[in-house]
Structures are given as structure tokens and as C-alpha cells.
Amino acid sequence: EVQLVESGGGLVQAGGSLRLSCAVSGFTSEDYTIGWFRQAPGNEREGLACIGSEDGSTYYADSVKGRFTISRNNAKNTVYLQMNSLKPEDTAVYYCAAGTLYSGRASTYDYWGQGTQVTVSS
């Protein structure tokens, strides 16, 4: 059974940092593109970053470029999202997802985690 489980969310002050983890089971994370997304109430799901399956290439949305870093630990079958310089507008539920295409679009991903809440206070 394919599962993705996010962890690491919480409450942080503006300017602070959090590291989200996406633990993958049922397949090898390096065989799929893994993406991070977020969704705030009333908003569409936004693609933030992804890491490719073959060469580990990375993509970042403009909204997080320079602040967020995606990485993968193949030995732990885990993908991380390091989030620095957090802003109140980063408040959302954060999801990781797995897919076969290298893409920032949510519709191209096949498997999703349950999400973890990130709240940034001003």
C-alpha cells in the first residue's frame, strides 16, 4: 500500500523556520517525483517545490524560491521541505505528493499525504 505521511508542522513566529518531513512507504521515493503543496482556506492548492526521480533536479515556485529547500534522504525514504524566513502568508495545510511527471501542478500527482498544518504568527 502506497502511503505518504507528513510531519513537522506547527506554530512558528514570522521569520522562523520549520522542517517538514514526508515519509514514504509502499514504494521507493527516488522512483517518483515528490512534490510539496499547500492549501489555505478559500485558496486553490499551490505547488511549492518538487524533486525529480532520476537526477534529483528541483523546482521551486516563485513564492518560496530562496526561502524553502526540498531534499531527499533515499536511505530513509523521506523527502524534506526546509522552510526559512516564514511569513504569515505561508500559513496553510502542507501536503506532499508522489507522481511520475516532473511537475508543479497538483493534477499530475497520483498519491497524497493527509497534510500537516503550518501556522505563522505575526
Side-chain angles (χ1 to χ4, degrees):
E1 180 185 5
V2 172
Q3 276 194 319
L4 297 93
V5 179
E6 303 95 337
S7 61
L11 174 64
V12 63
Q13 288 188 331
S17 299
L18 283 175
R19 189 179 78 158
L20 304 183
S21 299
C22 174
V24 172
S25 61
F27 64 93
T28 303
S29 66
E30 61 189 293
D31 290 338
Y32 284 79
T33 291
I34 304 294
W36 281 99
F37 298 80
R38 68 185 177 192
Q39 189 166 18
N43 291 357
E44 293 186 355
R45 192 162 294 190
E46 176 189 9
L48 304 176
C50 69
I51 186 164
S53 58
E54 296 184 358
D55 58 2
S57 55
T58 57
Y59 155 84
Y60 296 95
D62 288 343
S63 59
V64 303
K65 197 175 295 182
R67 299 190 299 125
F68 291 9
T69 303
I70 190 170
S71 62
R72 179 166 58 202
N73 184 324
N74 292 334
K76 294 186 176 181
N77 225 21
T78 300
V79 175
Y80 304 98
L81 186 68
Q82 177 67 43
M83 306 187 296
N84 299 328
S85 302
L86 284 163
K87 307 173 183 179
E89 51 264 44
D90 293 319
T91 296
V93 177
Y94 283 67
Y95 301 88
C96 63
T100 56
L101 297 180
Y102 182 74
S103 166
R105 292 186 293 123
S107 60
T108 65
Y109 287 78
D110 303 309
Y111 304 102
W112 290 83
Q114 82 289 348
T116 185
Q117 176 71 45
V118 171
T119 303
V120 184
S121 63
S122 57

